[in-house]
Amino acid sequence: MLRLLLQHARPGMEVAMAIHHPGSPDVVLLREGAALDAYSIPHLQQLGIHEVWIRYPGLEHLVRYVDPQLMANYRSLTTRVGNVIDQAMVRNTVEIDFYACKKALLSMTRHLAENPQSALWISQVAHADKPFVRHCGNVAALSLMMGMRLDFYLVRERKTLPAGRAKDLTSLGIGALLHDVGMLRIPQAALDRYNATLDTSDPEWRTHTALGYDMVRGVLDPTAAIISLHHHQAWDGTGFPERPSLRGGTRPAAERDVHVLARIVAAAELFSRIKNPAHAPGSSAKALPSLPTVRALKLVLQEAVRKKMDPVVFKALMSVVPAYAPGSVVKLSDGRDAVVISWDVNAPCRPMVEILHEMEPRSHKQRGRVIRVNLREHAELSIVATDGEDVSNDNFEPAEPGEFDLLSLYRSMENRAHGDLKQDEAEDVAPAEGGAAVEAVHEDEPPAQAA
């Protein structure tokens, strides 16, 4: 399987995954196995479909990165958020079918748990016809993907809840879907101004967080509703809105002042906004085209941006967003075309690739010798283009080993927790001055009586 931009597709290529209408996700335009032709390619482009998976002998194993059921659940979620947005545009309220939405979310998280790799292209493959709906759906999908990886962190950050409830992602998914609903209540002049400048310091635009919270408060679970208010809060305290201060006035909200679910959505929203500048109501994807993922990630790595994110959540973001996702067609610095077949979070821009002798799919016998290159082992090679766009200046390397590795962080936190537990045990049975061990006396237990 290859993921191609439609502009690179050719008549005769077979579709490896069904193509759905971006405005009516239940409508199938081309079924799996259908052949592209001179009519269908431009027609799909006119509908706003830019990418397609095609069959390519020898690359069938890449199907593990594409779960049709997961894509269907994603389309269901984006359809629902589109309906909610349409209602909210004419009424100052939010109405949502919680049962249906929760059912789709639970099904989505189940598929993510069974095969987390299948979500790598979810936000790119399942388009919505409106940039604002696409943004809300992408933020929800990305937040869920991050939440699945952060289950240990959710338990640590939500200590007042039982572990099972702490790891429940329903509020995260619903809150992420509706995080920007307040944008629908901003005056049109402010929206036009924002879409022209993308200036997040605009005071009128900033009111969308409070407006959104007022719309969903009492409708959503309180934890989901607070995401609307706090999804622009920053770990370094530079976000908005500020919190009331006990001393009067307001104060910045920083670090753990902000709920962990809001921190996850804030990181997902920030990345989505960087990758897809057209994300607000009324924005134009033609005027503000999407960035290659590797370029968006490099911008996220800038200190001014990175410090806005919870450091643990940042690692989760890097663990679920590959710079070059499997199935992507890339060009190497030696001029050869290749397809990405696997990636490593510790070397995001140096994936394993398979050389494409030619773009046209051929049978196994016609393909010739399979050549795979692990770019981690070939420092002289690099990726210079993807989807026809020059990315030679966008590649990046970890500043230190494990910089992007969430699993390593989890292990270190677990070891630290075990170390703290052992230290506590050692303090409970500490040597007395004379060298003999004495039994610790706990406040809730009476001291032992002398014999």
Side-chain angles (χ1 to χ4, degrees):
M1 295 173 63
L2 296 179
R3 184 198 62 86
L4 289 181
L5 290 181
L6 267 175
Q7 66 193 60
H8 298 151
R10 299 289 180 267
M13 290 182 172
E14 290 187 7
V15 175
M17 188 173 68
I19 301 175
H20 293 254
H21 193 292
S24 303
D26 292 333
V27 176
V28 177
L29 298 175
L30 286 177
R31 298 189 179 279
E32 179 183 343
L36 296 172
D37 55 35
Y39 168 78
S40 62
I41 293 174
H43 184 61
L44 292 173
Q45 289 175 318
Q46 290 173 3
L47 290 173
I49 297 171
H50 307 291
E51 305 164 343
V52 60
W53 284 87
I54 66 165
R55 290 178 174 173
Y56 198 100
L59 296 177
E60 292 84 0
H61 61 282
L62 293 180
V63 72
R64 70 181 184 273
Y65 294 107
V66 185
D67 184 334
Q69 185 57 49
L70 184 63
M71 298 301 178
N73 290 330
Y74 178 82
R75 286 191 296 270
S76 174
L77 286 175
T78 53
T79 299
R80 293 185 191 286
V81 75
N83 293 337
V84 171
I85 287 170
D86 287 342
Q87 293 172 2
M89 289 182 70
V90 296
R91 287 180 279 180
N92 194 30
T93 58
V94 169
E95 296 179 6
I96 185 168
D97 185 340
F98 282 104
Y99 176 76
C101 193
K102 185 173 183 177
K103 183 179 179 182
L105 283 166
L106 289 174
S107 181
M108 192 166 175
T109 53
R110 185 178 67 249
H111 279 82
L112 283 170
E114 292 171 352
N115 185 11
Q117 292 178 321
S118 65
L120 293 178
W121 271 113
I122 192 168
S123 61
Q124 285 85 348
V125 174
H127 285 295
D129 61 339
K130 299 176 182 178
F132 182 49
V133 175
R134 177 189 64 182
H135 173 68
C136 294
N138 286 354
V139 170
L142 187 53
S143 296
L144 287 174
M145 291 160 60
M146 294 163 66
M148 292 288 292
R149 302 291 180 94
L150 288 168
D151 56 353
F152 72 97
Y153 193 54
L154 293 176
V155 172
R156 196 182 93 163
E157 294 292 290
R158 308 179 77 183
K159 295 179 181 178
T160 60
L161 298 177
R165 286 186 59 196
K167 292 188 287 186
D168 181 74
L169 301 180
T170 305
S171 292
L172 175 66
I174 293 177
L177 276 171
L178 300 176
H179 74 281
D180 260 348
V181 71
M183 287 243 197
L184 303 175
R185 289 291 168 263
I186 297 177
Q188 188 60 47
L191 268 179
D192 292 342
R193 192 165 59 243
Y194 175 74
N195 285 327
T197 64
L198 299 181
D199 180 10
T200 58
S201 67
D202 186 315
E204 202 166 16
W205 177 80
R206 285 190 167 197
T207 62
H208 79 270
T209 56
L211 292 170
Y213 179 65
D214 287 341
M215 292 172 70
V216 300
R217 182 173 51 181
V219 178
L220 303 186
D221 175 273
T223 308
I226 205 67
I227 289 172
S228 293
L229 185 63
H230 287 161
H231 68 274
H232 280 288
Q233 299 288 11
W235 183 256
D236 64 354
T238 59
F240 62 91
E242 291 193 337
R243 287 189 166 189
S245 172
L246 295 176
R247 299 179 180 178
T250 59
R251 63 177 179 84
E255 300 189 359
R256 288 178 172 80
D257 285 344
V258 182
H259 195 282
V260 64
L261 298 189
R263 280 181 257 151
I264 293 172
V265 175
E269 196 277 340
L270 180 58
F271 172 76
S272 180
R273 190 157 33 94
I274 290 173
K275 177 169 172 51
N276 299 299
H279 61 274
S283 58
S284 168
K286 290 184 178 179
L288 298 169
S290 298
L291 304 183
T293 302
V294 64
R295 186 174 301 160
L297 287 174
K298 189 170 185 179
L299 291 172
V300 166
L301 286 172
Q302 293 180 354
E303 182 60 25
V305 178
R306 181 173 175 173
K307 68 181 182 180
K308 295 180 181 296
M309 291 182 282
D310 177 335
V312 179
V313 174
F314 162 78
K315 287 180 182 284
L317 175 67
M318 297 301 294
S319 74
V320 300
V321 181
Y324 301 103
S328 305
V329 176
V330 298
K331 184 174 287 294
L332 303 181
S333 52
D334 63 2
R336 290 182 293 177
D337 291 320
V339 58
V340 177
I341 59 173
S342 68
W343 75 297
D344 184 345
V345 69
N346 292 304
C349 299
R350 294 194 163 275
M352 176 81 75
V353 301
E354 183 172 315
I355 302 302
L356 295 174
H357 300 288
E358 53 189 356
M359 290 299 297
E360 293 293 334
R362 302 291 182 185
S363 69
H364 287 272
K365 293 182 179 180
Q366 294 174 315
R367 288 184 66 213
R369 187 165 63 92
V370 173
I371 301 175
R372 292 182 175 178
V373 181
N374 186 346
L375 293 180
R376 293 192 69 172
E377 300 173 357
H378 293 271
E380 76 282 4
L381 290 176
S382 63
I383 295 175
V384 297
T386 182
D387 292 336
E389 186 151 0
D390 185 352
V391 293
S392 55
N393 294 321
D394 297 316
N395 294 310
F396 56 87
E397 301 283 350
E400 57 186 24
E403 181 184 8
F404 309 136
D405 193 342
L406 182 65
L407 183 58
S408 293
L409 175 65
Y410 168 66
R411 286 171 178 163
S412 67
M413 292 171 66
E414 192 176 44
N415 292 337
R416 199 177 309 135
H418 286 314
D420 292 342
L421 181 60
K422 289 180 179 179
Q423 180 65 29
D424 290 342
E425 292 172 348
E427 291 174 355
D428 282 347
V429 186
E433 289 185 9
V438 297
E439 184 178 356
V441 178
H442 296 278
E443 293 182 0
D444 56 350
E445 297 175 359
Q449 298 295 319

